[in-house]
Amino acid sequence: VLFGASLPQSFFEVLENDLPAADLVIVAGTSLVVSPANLIALAAPESAPRIICDRNDVGCGVGIDCSSPAREDVWLQGDADDVAADLAAACGWLDDLAAFEDALPEASRAILDRVR
């Protein structure tokens, strides 16, 4: 969603219905400053670790301290595409990610090729 654009109603439904049951929340490529999108990370259940993927430690600006032992939050520093590809490789999800390869921009496909 572009800055200033409205989020679809489904965003708010997922936020209300699905987020409370999340086991893990991955937040990628956002400053976490703009609401309501930042609510995903901020409203994640205490039991769900948050993986923040960004070039900058954006979580610290909204109270997410990835160095705190209180939660198992992690900051993966880097470009969102690079971090996502590395995470997919580490978790054995490359085949799942490859299923969407045709829908990826060319630059993202090149990153996927790098980790295979």
Side-chain angles (χ1 to χ4, degrees):
V1 175
L2 298 176
F3 181 77
S6 296
L7 292 169
Q9 182 59 34
S10 60
F11 169 85
F12 298 98
E13 292 167 4
V14 167
L15 190 66
E16 182 179 335
N17 299 325
D18 296 342
L19 186 60
D23 295 320
L24 173 70
V25 175
I26 300 174
V27 180
T30 176
S31 65
L32 291 175
V33 175
V34 179
S35 193
N38 64 352
L39 293 177
I40 297 169
L42 299 177
E46 286 290 323
S47 60
R50 297 170 290 193
I51 298 177
I52 310 296
C53 309
D54 201 273
R55 293 181 200 135
N56 304 304
D57 187 4
V58 295
C60 67
V62 292
I64 297 174
D65 181 2
C66 292
S67 64
S68 170
R71 283 188 72 155
E72 296 179 6
D73 296 329
V74 176
W75 170 38
L76 299 179
Q77 184 177 16
D79 291 332
D81 278 356
D82 291 322
V83 170
D86 292 340
L87 186 60
C91 293
W93 299 337
L94 285 177
D95 290 341
D96 297 315
L97 184 57
F100 299 96
E101 187 169 2
D102 291 340
L104 296 174
E106 185 177 332
S108 299
R109 287 195 304 269
I111 293 168
L112 182 57
D113 288 340
R114 174 187 57 81
V115 297
R116 285 192 234 186

